[in-house]
Structures are given as C-alpha cells and as structure tokens.
Amino acid sequence: MLKGIFEVLENSALDGRVRYFPAPREDTALGVASGLTVAGRGSVVLMQNSGLGYGLNVLTSFNLIYGVHLPLVVSWRGFDENDAVEHEVIGRELVTLLNVLGLPWTILDCSEVQLSVDRWLGHLDEHTSVLIVRDEV
C-alpha cells in the first residue's frame, strides 16, 4: 500500500527537498526519526501495520514518555480480513492498539486527501499521530 511512496523516495524524485533514510526495522526508523525530531528536523515514519509491533518499545519507552511526537504513516493490511493470514491479528486490532496507546489516528480518505492530512497533522503538537492507509473499500 505504501509502494508508490517508497518508489518516489527511493528514486529521489523530490529534487533533494526530502532525504530518505531506509531502515532495516521499524524500531530503527522510529529511533532515527525521533533523533531528527529532537534535533529540530522534520521527519515522517512509514511502515506496514505488521511492523508496528517492532516499534512499540520505542513508542512506549521514549516517544510517549518524553513527548517526542512523530507523524506515522501506517498501512492497514488485513483490516477487512481479506489478506494474508499473518496480517489478520494486527489488521483486526490496529485501531484498538492505537487507542490503548493513546495515539490519535486518521484513515486516509482518498476523496478528501487534504482534509485527512490536515486532521492527521493537527494532532502533532500534543501526540504522535498516525495516518492509516488502506485499500479503498
């Protein structure tokens, strides 16, 4: 679901306006983005929902405790129970998990992209905020 975004970033189609740092794991991506944020640089983390589990320790032991707010873009595989079996549990429980962590989330509405993005980014002063990207239903 995030393939197109990654292709743009990997092909440097943004003329140097954005630097892309591929990470081997989601916890590493959160750590790098957190460091950039603390240093005053903007950052966004992109990940599959299945990788959110890898990032929970960073989110709960650093970001949430120290108020380092990040914008996260998370795919929502398995939300409709029509995906690979390994996405069923996190797909079914993604929103519940985000609510337990107190992370505000917005589902990207492709018919109102700007409104979705504004809503997502509107939470960043107070929280790490999650933009959920899923296949249109």
Side-chain angles (χ1 to χ4, degrees):
M1 289 177 217
L2 303 176
K3 180 181 176 183
I5 297 171
F6 283 115
E7 285 177 357
V8 169
L9 293 171
E10 290 168 356
N11 292 322
S12 302
L14 299 172
D15 301 324
R17 294 176 287 159
V18 174
R19 294 199 55 198
Y20 172 60
F21 298 97
R25 286 178 35 143
E26 291 78 4
D27 53 351
T28 303
L30 289 164
V32 170
S34 296
L36 288 167
T37 298
V38 169
R41 303 286 305 264
S43 60
V44 177
V45 175
L46 295 94
M47 69 175 78
Q48 283 194 77
N49 61 337
S50 58
L52 187 59
Y54 287 118
L56 288 180
N57 187 49
V58 176
L59 287 169
T60 59
S61 65
F62 183 75
N63 297 89
L64 294 175
I65 291 175
Y66 295 105
V68 178
H69 310 305
L70 298 175
L72 306 180
V73 177
V74 177
S75 68
W76 194 359
R77 297 199 54 189
F79 74 94
D80 60 357
E81 299 179 7
N82 187 23
D83 206 324
V85 67
E86 63 268 20
H87 299 290
E88 286 181 12
V89 173
I90 193 71
R92 183 177 58 245
E93 302 298 338
L94 176 63
V95 169
T96 302
L97 177 60
L98 296 174
N99 288 338
V100 165
L101 295 173
L103 299 177
W105 50 271
T106 303
I107 296 174
L108 178 64
D109 181 344
C110 291
S111 66
E112 297 188 66
V113 172
Q114 189 64 55
L115 180 64
S116 297
V117 170
D118 290 344
R119 186 176 302 126
W120 166 53
L121 295 177
H123 296 287
L124 279 178
D125 288 339
E126 301 290 325
H127 303 280
T128 288
S129 184
V130 179
L131 180 66
I132 299 172
V133 177
R134 66 181 188 185
D135 285 336
E136 288 297 307
V137 291

